[in-house]
C-alpha cells in the first residue's frame, strides 16, 4: 500500500470512449481555451489601452480577466496535453501546483466578484459619493486584498492537503487535481482537519454571496426608482449578467466541495468541475463585453487601430 512519501505522480481521470471521442474532447477544450484567451486578452488590452476606461468598474473587470486567464490555464492545457498524448500522468509537484493555483485564482475571484458588487451598488445607489468611496487608492487596496487573500487561502489549503498521508493509491478521479479528490486518497483521520478548513471556507464564501445578494437587492430597488426606461434597462443589463455569473460560479464550486460521497460519481464530478473551472472564464468576456456599450466602442476603435499601425 503506497504512502504519500512514495507517490511520485498521480493519474488523472481519462476521458472515456474511442480515440475519436478523445480527440473531440481535445478539440472542444481547445476551442473553449482559445475563446477564453481571446476574450479575456481583448478585455485586458482594451481597458489598458483606452484611458476612458480607467475607472473602478473597468479596473476590477481587468483584474477579473487576469484571474480567469490564470484559472483556465491551470487546468485545461494539461488535460488537452494528456488527451493528445494518450496518457493520464501528472507529477506530484504538478498536482500540488494545480491545487494551489486553481484555489488561488478561484478564491481571489470570489473576493473580487464581491468587490464588484459593492462597486455597482455605490455607482447606482450612491452615485454622488462614488468618487469618494471608490477612489483610485481604495480600488488598488481592494484588488490587492482579493489577490492576497486568494494567495493565503490557497497556500493554507495546499500545504494542509499535501501534508496528509496518502495510502489509497494515486488515481485522481478528475481531469485536474482538486482537494476533494485528493482527500479520497487519504488514509488518516487527519483529513478531518482539511474538511474543517473547507467548511470554514464555505462559510466565508456564503458570507460573500449574501453580501452580493444584499448589494443587488439595494441596486434593484434603486434601479426601479429611475424614471428613464433606458436608464433602467442599462442598469439591469450591467447587473444581471454579473449576478448570473456569480450564482453559477459559487453554486457549482460549493457543490464540488460539499456534495456527499453517496451521490458522487465520475460523470457528475466532471460536469460540476467543468461548470466552475472552465465555463466562467470562457463566458465572462462574452457577458461583460457584449452587454457593455463603452467596452464595445473602445474595442471597435482598438482593432482597426492595430491594423492601421501594421
Amino acid at each position: 500500500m503506497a504512502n504519500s512519501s512514495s507517490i511520485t505522480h498521480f493519474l488523472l481521470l481519462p476521458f472515456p470512449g474511442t480515440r475519436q471521442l478523445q480527440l473531440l474532447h481535445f478539440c472542444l477544450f481547445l476551442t473553449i481555451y482559445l475563446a477564453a484567451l481571446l476574450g479575456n486578452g481583448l478585455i485586458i488590452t482594451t481597458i489598458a489601452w483606452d484611458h476612458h476606461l480607467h475607472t473602478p468598474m473597468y479596473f476590477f473587470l481587468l483584474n477579473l480577466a487576469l484571474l480567469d486567464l490564470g484559472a483556465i490555464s491551470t487546468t485545461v492545457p494539461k488535460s488537452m496535453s494528456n488527451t493528445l498524448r494518450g496518457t493520464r500522468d501528472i507529477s506530484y509537484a504538478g498536482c500540488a501546483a494545480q491545487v494551489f493555483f486553481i484555489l488561488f485564482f478561484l478564491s481571489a475571484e470570489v473576493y473580487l466578484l464581491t468587490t464588484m458588487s459593492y462597486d455597482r451598488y455605490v455607482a447606482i445607489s450612491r452615485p454622488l459619493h462614488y468618487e469618494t468611496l471608490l477612489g483610485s487608492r481604495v480600488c488598488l487596496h481592494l484588488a490587492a486584498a482579493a489577490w492576497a487573500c486568494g494567495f493565503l487561502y490557497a497556500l493554507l489549503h495546499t500545504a494542509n492537503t499535501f501534508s496528509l498521508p496518502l495510502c489509497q493509491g494515486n488515481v485522481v478521479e478528475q481531469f485536474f487535481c482538486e482537494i476533494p479528490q485528493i482527500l479520497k486518497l487519504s488514509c488518516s483521520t487527519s483529513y478531518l482537519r482539511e474538511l474543517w478548513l473547507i467548511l470554514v471556507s464555505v462559510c466565508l464564501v456564503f458570507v460573500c454571496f449574501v453580501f452580493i445578494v444584499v448589494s443587488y437587492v439595494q441596486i434593484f430597488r434603486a434601479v426601479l426608482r429611475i424614471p428613464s426606461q433606458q436608464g433602467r434597462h442599462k442598469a439591469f443589463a450591467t447587473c444581471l449578467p454579473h449576478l448570473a455569473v456569480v450564482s453559477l460560479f459559487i453554486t457549482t464550486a460549493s457543490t464540488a466541495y460539499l456534495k456527499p460521497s453517496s451521490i458522487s460519481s465520475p460523470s457528475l464530478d466532471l460536469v460540476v468541475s467543468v461548470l466552475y473551472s472552465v465555463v466562467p472564464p470562457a463566458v465572462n468576456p462574452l457577458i461583460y463585453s457584449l452587454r457593455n456599450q463603452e467596452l464595445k466602442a473602445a474595442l471597435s476603435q482598438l482593432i482597426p487601430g492595430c491594423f492601421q499601425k501594421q
Side-chain angles (χ1 to χ4, degrees):
M1 187 173 292
N3 57 41
S4 55
S5 61
S6 64
I7 293 177
T8 59
H9 70 284
F10 292 92
L11 298 177
L12 298 176
L13 179 71
F15 282 82
T18 64
R19 185 58 180 170
Q20 287 76 12
L21 288 176
Q22 292 174 350
L23 291 176
L24 179 62
H25 148 252
F26 171 82
C27 293
L28 178 62
F29 264 32
L30 178 62
T31 302
I32 294 174
Y33 185 57
L34 292 178
L37 289 181
L38 178 62
N40 288 291
L42 285 175
I43 286 178
I44 294 169
T45 304
T46 304
I47 294 175
W49 170 77
D50 193 333
H51 68 277
H52 294 101
L53 300 181
H54 293 176
T55 63
M57 182 179 76
Y58 293 107
F59 171 72
F60 293 134
L61 183 55
L62 183 147
N63 279 267
L64 180 65
L66 289 172
L67 291 172
D68 281 338
L69 281 179
I72 199 168
S73 296
T74 300
T75 59
V76 171
K78 180 60 178 177
S79 178
M80 291 191 301
S81 173
N82 280 0
T83 299
L84 200 60
R85 295 186 294 115
T87 183
R88 301 170 55 186
D89 287 0
I90 183 171
S91 67
Y92 188 93
C95 186
Q98 272 198 337
V99 169
F100 173 80
F101 282 110
I102 196 67
L103 287 175
F104 171 40
F105 291 121
L106 295 185
S107 58
E109 187 162 327
V110 171
Y111 303 135
L112 188 65
L113 289 170
T114 306
T115 302
M116 292 174 71
S117 71
Y118 175 70
D119 168 71
R120 291 298 83 209
Y121 161 74
V122 175
I124 294 175
S125 300
R126 306 183 65 183
L128 298 179
H129 301 85
Y130 188 71
E131 294 294 334
T132 303
L133 294 175
L134 283 168
S136 58
R137 180 172 296 182
V138 174
C139 292
L140 286 172
H141 288 167
L142 289 173
W147 286 84
C149 289
F151 178 83
L152 293 175
Y153 174 87
L155 186 63
L156 174 65
H157 279 280
T158 304
N160 190 60
T161 299
F162 284 89
S163 67
L164 300 175
L166 307 177
C167 62
Q168 303 295 328
N170 64 342
V171 178
V172 179
E173 296 180 351
Q174 190 53 272
F175 73 95
F176 65 94
C177 290
E178 63 175 2
I179 287 181
Q181 302 301 328
I182 301 296
L183 292 182
K184 291 181 181 180
L185 306 179
S186 175
C187 56
S188 169
T189 55
S190 57
Y191 78 92
L192 294 173
R193 180 180 58 191
E194 177 60 24
L195 289 181
W196 278 112
L197 284 175
I198 290 177
L199 288 176
V200 171
S201 302
V202 169
C203 291
L204 292 175
V205 171
F206 179 74
V207 170
C208 291
F209 185 69
V210 170
F211 181 88
I212 292 171
V213 171
V214 171
S215 298
Y216 275 100
V217 169
Q218 298 300 320
I219 289 171
F220 293 149
R221 289 177 61 184
V223 167
L224 292 175
R225 291 197 295 266
I226 297 177
S228 167
Q229 184 176 359
Q230 183 179 2
R232 290 197 300 269
H233 175 74
K234 182 179 180 181
F236 278 124
T238 302
C239 296
L240 286 177
H242 180 206
L243 189 58
V245 170
V246 171
S247 300
L248 173 66
F249 174 65
I250 291 181
T251 54
T252 53
S254 300
T255 300
Y257 281 78
L258 290 181
K259 67 180 182 302
S261 57
S262 59
I263 65 170
S264 179
S265 67
S267 57
L268 177 61
D269 293 346
L270 176 61
V271 171
V272 170
S273 64
V274 168
L275 286 177
Y276 82 82
S277 66
V278 177
V279 172
V283 172
N284 279 349
L286 295 176
I287 290 177
Y288 284 103
S289 61
L290 292 181
R291 302 300 297 254
N292 190 301
Q293 297 298 327
E294 291 179 335
L295 195 57
K296 286 196 293 185
L299 186 59
S300 65
Q301 294 177 8
L302 171 64
I303 295 177
C306 293
F307 284 110
Q308 288 174 5
K309 289 181 180 180
Q310 293 177 355

